Amino acid sequence: MVAALSVLAAACSDPSAFGPADEAAQEVAGPTILADPAGLSAPTTESLPTLPPLPAAPPPADPVTVHAVGNLGRCNADMIGVANAVAADTGLIFALGDLSTNGSQASIDECFLNTFGSDLDRIYAVPGDQDLVTDEGAAFYDMVAQTPTGSAPGDGWFVTSMGGWQIIGLNSRCHDVGCDTDSAQFQWLVDVLRNQPAECRAVIWHDARFSSAFKVIDAKAMGPILGRLSSAGTDVLITGSPRSYERLGPSKPNGQLTVDDERGITHFNVGGGSVVGFDWAPHVSSQDRIDANGYARFVFSPEGYTWEFVDTSDGNGEADGGAGTC
């Protein structure tokens, strides 16, 4: 035993103690592997957790057809004809305010639900002045509660999506709900635009911000809201009063046409009837005006949108149509 220890000590003190045969044996065997008492080495593949598969990409949104018009509750012969044409056409419906003559339950029953009562799953409605005359719009909001939007009583605003577009409905009766920067409606809108960004956006409300119609006061109180929508990159605004059809834009928040590559909002006013008439000096951004009964048909898709004015007059055949991007 003592002899063996002496040999080992000599070998440790003399590097040349290992012969060529010993060096060759080390090269064949490879380097010495030290133990890993702390368990710091990488886990084997058998010990790795199983990761869930990546979620599939959502399918592209299908195009959606929407018919837009205001004053569907006017209950006169012209608007009954428009309402019947809209109800007979397939697609969703933007009911752009004034779904009754005085806001009462009897008026909504006779002039709107009589035609659209079985189509409430197609209705996306915003309030007009006539809808809020009786009981602060209680009958209107009861009806809206049965539609996909279900905007809260007394509010009249909502957000939804269709065809790859964000759709925002707002209440332009500013003396009832407020539209300035301190109002609940404006703050709600800011929250939506901040937390739900969208590549394509259309907005609907009742009163046109700008118009070429006779004796129509622009809805100036909607100015702060329009400015905020414009800065967020909104593409389309659709309103339902006055009772005529007009297309303006693409426009800046002050109503002036955009220039060069500026992005603006294209305004459509679709009032359904041919009652008001147009001024001899059209609004600076006006691009088409039709004084006829009818509604607008939109098709929204992730690539953009198309529009068409559908004339329901007696063979008048006036039309406007085109396509836009977002």
Side-chain angles (χ1 to χ4, degrees):
M1 181 69 172
V2 172
L5 291 172
S6 300
V7 172
L8 179 60
C12 292
S13 61
D14 182 7
S16 64
F18 289 106
D22 299 310
E23 294 176 0
Q26 277 202 329
E27 291 176 1
V28 172
T32 301
I33 304 299
L34 299 177
D36 182 24
L40 300 178
S41 59
T44 63
T45 55
E46 290 78 8
S47 65
L48 290 174
T50 301
L51 298 177
L54 292 174
D62 293 329
V64 172
T65 299
V66 183
H67 313 304
V69 63
N71 305 293
L72 286 171
R74 279 291 173 179
C75 258
N76 58 41
D78 287 343
M79 287 310 303
I80 289 174
V82 174
N84 288 336
V86 170
D89 210 340
T90 58
L92 303 178
I93 299 168
F94 287 168
L96 305 173
D98 284 1
L99 311 187
S100 65
T101 56
N102 59 18
S104 67
Q105 187 64 61
S107 177
I108 284 187
D109 288 343
E110 178 185 359
C111 300
F112 186 77
L113 293 178
N114 186 45
T115 304
F116 296 101
S118 61
D119 289 329
L120 291 182
D121 60 339
R122 296 202 288 153
I123 300 295
Y124 295 76
V126 289
D129 49 310
Q130 299 302 317
D131 300 315
L132 307 181
V133 169
T134 302
D135 297 330
E136 298 181 336
F140 170 84
Y141 289 113
D142 284 346
M143 184 277 298
V144 167
Q146 304 172 61
T147 70
T149 61
S151 58
D155 291 348
W157 50 81
F158 64 84
V159 60
T160 187
S161 60
M162 60 182 68
W165 283 61
Q166 180 186 71
I167 306 297
I168 297 177
L170 295 172
N171 188 340
S172 63
R173 307 310 299 166
C174 295
H175 64 281
D176 293 312
V177 298
C179 300
D180 58 27
T181 56
D182 294 327
S183 66
Q185 178 171 220
F186 188 92
Q187 294 302 318
W188 173 88
L189 176 62
V190 168
D191 185 62
V192 168
L193 297 176
R194 178 186 297 123
N195 296 309
Q196 300 184 38
E199 183 69 24
C200 303
R201 180 183 298 111
V203 180
I204 64 174
W205 68 61
H206 179 63
D207 299 278
R209 173 65 182 94
F210 305 106
S211 175
S212 299
F214 284 123
K215 299 179 181 178
V216 171
I217 299 174
D218 295 343
K220 293 182 174 63
M222 292 298 286
I225 284 178
L226 184 60
R228 187 66 185 84
L229 289 168
S230 180
S231 65
T234 301
D235 303 284
V236 172
L237 169 63
I238 311 171
T239 59
S241 179
R243 297 194 299 277
S244 53
Y245 173 86
E246 185 169 22
R247 173 169 54 85
L248 302 90
S251 305
K252 304 175 186 179
N254 62 2
Q256 300 296 306
L257 284 170
T258 57
V259 295
D260 300 327
D261 294 329
E262 287 182 303
R263 186 172 181 177
I265 300 177
T266 299
H267 298 228
F268 295 87
N269 183 76
V270 194
S274 55
V275 177
V276 180
F278 294 104
D279 203 336
W280 62 271
H283 189 276
V284 66
S285 296
S286 182
Q287 296 184 332
D288 205 338
R289 300 170 300 283
I290 299 176
D291 197 8
N293 302 324
Y295 61 96
R297 179 187 293 123
F298 294 89
V299 178
F300 295 106
S301 72
E303 293 74 32
Y305 70 103
T306 63
W307 76 86
E308 174 189 5
F309 177 76
V310 181
D311 189 347
T312 62
S313 303
D314 296 331
N316 198 10
E318 293 190 67
D320 177 41
T325 58
C326 59

